[in-house]
Amino acid sequence: MSRSSWPLYEVFVRGKRGLNHVHVGSLHAPDDEMALRNARDLYTRRNEGVSIWVVKAEAITASSPDEKDPFFAPSGDKVYRHPTFYVIPEDVPHL
Amino acid sequence: MDNAYDGLTEDSEEKHWAFGTGFSTALAGVDRAVPSGVDHDVLAVYCLMLGDDALIYSQRLAEWCSRAPELEEDVALANIALDLLGQARLLLTRAAEVEGADRDEDALAYLRDEHEFRNVRLAEIDCGPGPGGDFATTIARLLVMSTHRLALLQRLTGSLDPVLAAIAAKGVKEVAYHRDHAAQWVLRLAGGTEYSRERMVAGLERVWPFTDELFATHAVEAAVAEAGVGVDPATLRAEFDEVLDTVLRAADLDRPDVRQVAALAGRAGRDGVHTEALGFLLAEMQYVARSMPGAVW
């Protein structure tokens, strides 16, 4: 099996005290099961994670740099969309 | 959170670790006294047997570094080798401590000669990347070695020696992954192309002649089993056969029909009688330590 025939996977790891899975990198694998195992070997060998997601890179639809302005610029001057006008209670975590 | 690794250090004192924290030591707080009624020499040799299996096999696996068919597999095999090296260090340290002859783990690893090594011969033979095999042969040996070792370590967790029990408890989790990794690859190679299947069959035939030796009871193993600190390998055969048959059935492969390699006048790896492969392996492994005795860095 040649290198080019192994699909690319993106890897997401949830750290021990992390709340959500975060993208950590990518890898090649022959199928989903081996991708999960390769991710375990490549990205959690220093005691980083408690949960792994892998997804074929081709399954991800990404925004394009060409559309950067129409996509993101319009929100740049709308400060009122931030919930900064509230007082956040001290004992509410993860807000 | 921007970085998956940030959460690891936020409420830890271990700021010097770049990524993972919360590392634990498998043997922390374990009583290291030898249980009463256990013969020190016998226990020391038993620790050597299990430690040498791990050390020599680890060295063989490490030969794949930079030579595996894929980068991902390169890291996987190196991880497995490092797991086994860790087990070897704990076992050789225990052997040295129980023996009480003023040798440490390094002296046992680097300053013993071929006939003093007690590993089974399957651990030492070349299964690739040298001329003795290939990736499929390596996977075949990993399946056989890890199935045997997992069955052994599972029983050893009940050892009356608390140190051996703790080493086994740590090893069980590691070797369970090794066995799974091997089984995954056996399925894929056997079910891949005609060529990959052919290599898998040839790989199993290469390692199979060394399987009976894994279950032959040496006098030392009989003695430690009797004392409740070790395992009689003959008792592992049924579980080994069941696991192997399950994997081979799933891969639609037959058990190899090949003759077993005989012991030499009844003596094999556990007695220090080895194949010609071990001498070359030791020459490479021990070269630096022997040419610069006591060197540190």
Side-chain angles (χ1 to χ4, degrees):
Chain A
M1 193 178 276
S2 72
R3 174 98 219 174
S4 60
S5 67
W6 281 22
L8 185 70
Y9 284 81
E10 299 298 334
V11 182
F12 300 81
V13 170
R14 184 161 73 79
K16 271 192 276 186
R17 286 177 282 274
L19 293 169
N20 39 12
H21 288 73
V22 177
H23 185 240
V24 292
S26 54
L27 53 80
H28 288 90
D31 54 48
D32 295 357
E33 278 301 309
M34 289 305 286
L36 203 52
R37 286 168 172 79
N38 288 348
R40 178 264 196 195
D41 287 330
L42 290 171
Y43 292 108
T44 67
R45 58 199 294 274
R46 295 183 186 85
N47 211 20
E48 296 99 334
V50 292
S51 171
I52 303 172
W53 291 346
V54 290
V55 61
K56 278 205 178 88
E58 65 183 25
I60 294 176
T61 307
S63 62
S64 151
D66 297 342
E67 299 164 327
K68 187 163 174 277
D69 280 350
F71 257 64
F72 305 115
S75 63
D77 60 351
K78 299 178 176 67
V79 65
Y80 51 85
R81 288 181 181 169
H82 286 268
T84 50
F85 307 104
Y86 302 93
V87 178
I88 298 171
E90 294 246 330
D91 53 353
V92 177
H94 315 315
L95 201 63
Chain B
M1 198 177 295
D2 294 317
N3 183 324
Y5 304 120
D6 279 352
L8 296 173
T9 49
E10 63 188 7
D11 51 24
S12 165
E13 296 299 310
E14 302 171 86
K15 300 293 187 198
H16 59 289
W17 293 111
F19 298 116
T21 56
F23 294 101
S24 56
T25 309
L27 270 61
V30 172
D31 181 10
R32 301 197 70 95
V34 176
S36 62
V38 175
D39 185 299
H40 283 233
D41 291 342
V42 167
L43 179 59
V45 172
Y46 184 61
C47 291
L48 272 187
M49 291 173 169
L50 302 187
D52 286 347
D53 282 355
L55 176 66
I56 299 303
Y57 185 32
S58 167
Q59 181 74 11
R60 276 290 181 222
L61 282 168
E63 291 174 350
W64 279 101
C65 273
S66 81
R67 298 189 208 174
E70 296 287 337
L71 179 63
E72 287 81 357
E73 192 57 29
D74 208 286
V75 179
L77 291 175
N79 279 347
I80 292 170
L82 283 171
D83 284 346
L84 291 169
L85 186 63
Q87 293 176 20
R89 292 191 58 190
L90 295 172
L91 287 161
L92 293 189
T93 298
R94 183 59 170 165
E97 175 182 66
V98 173
E99 174 191 67
D102 205 24
R103 296 196 282 186
D104 62 5
E105 53 169 317
D106 285 340
L108 289 173
Y110 295 123
L111 303 179
R112 276 182 301 154
D113 290 329
E114 193 181 325
H115 68 274
E116 297 170 279
F117 276 80
R118 299 289 195 139
N119 57 283
V120 293
R121 289 175 296 177
L122 181 57
E124 77 207 22
I125 60 169
D126 169 25
C127 289
D134 54 15
F135 181 66
T137 315
T138 293
I139 290 300
R141 170 162 60 182
L142 183 60
L143 180 68
V144 170
M145 286 291 283
S146 58
T147 301
H148 168 264
R149 195 167 181 85
L150 181 57
L152 194 163
L153 292 178
Q154 278 166 342
R155 285 159 181 77
L156 197 62
T157 57
S159 171
L160 292 178
D161 177 11
V163 177
L164 273 185
I167 294 171
K170 167 184 150 66
V172 161
K173 291 173 228 162
E174 295 168 339
V175 179
Y177 188 83
H178 306 172
R179 191 181 77 176
D180 174 76
H181 189 78
Q184 294 288 340
W185 269 116
V186 170
L187 295 178
R188 281 162 180 79
L189 291 169
T193 63
E194 201 177 312
Y195 181 65
S196 71
R197 185 177 178 82
E198 192 182 294
R199 300 316 308 161
M200 194 65 246
V201 170
L204 285 164
E205 285 176 355
R206 160 81 173 134
V207 303
W208 208 259
F210 294 92
T211 47
D212 277 5
E213 185 186 337
L214 303 178
F215 306 100
T217 310
H218 186 276
V220 164
E221 291 167 315
V224 288
E226 175 72 26
V229 291
V231 177
D232 178 350
T235 62
L236 310 174
R237 185 86 214 204
E239 182 182 329
F240 176 88
D241 285 343
E242 194 185 325
V243 172
L244 262 289
D245 286 346
T246 303
V247 175
L248 294 179
R249 203 178 309 121
D252 195 23
L253 292 168
D254 294 324
R255 198 180 260 251
D257 183 21
V258 287
R259 286 184 54 172
Q260 294 293 312
V261 172
L264 217 68
R267 290 152 60 86
R270 293 280 187 245
D271 304 289
V273 173
H274 294 282
T275 68
E276 69 282 5
L278 185 62
F280 292 102
L281 183 151
L282 290 180
E284 185 172 355
M285 188 179 88
Q286 298 180 333
Y287 166 72
V288 174
R290 286 186 184 240
S291 56
M292 282 172 272
V296 290
W297 64 85

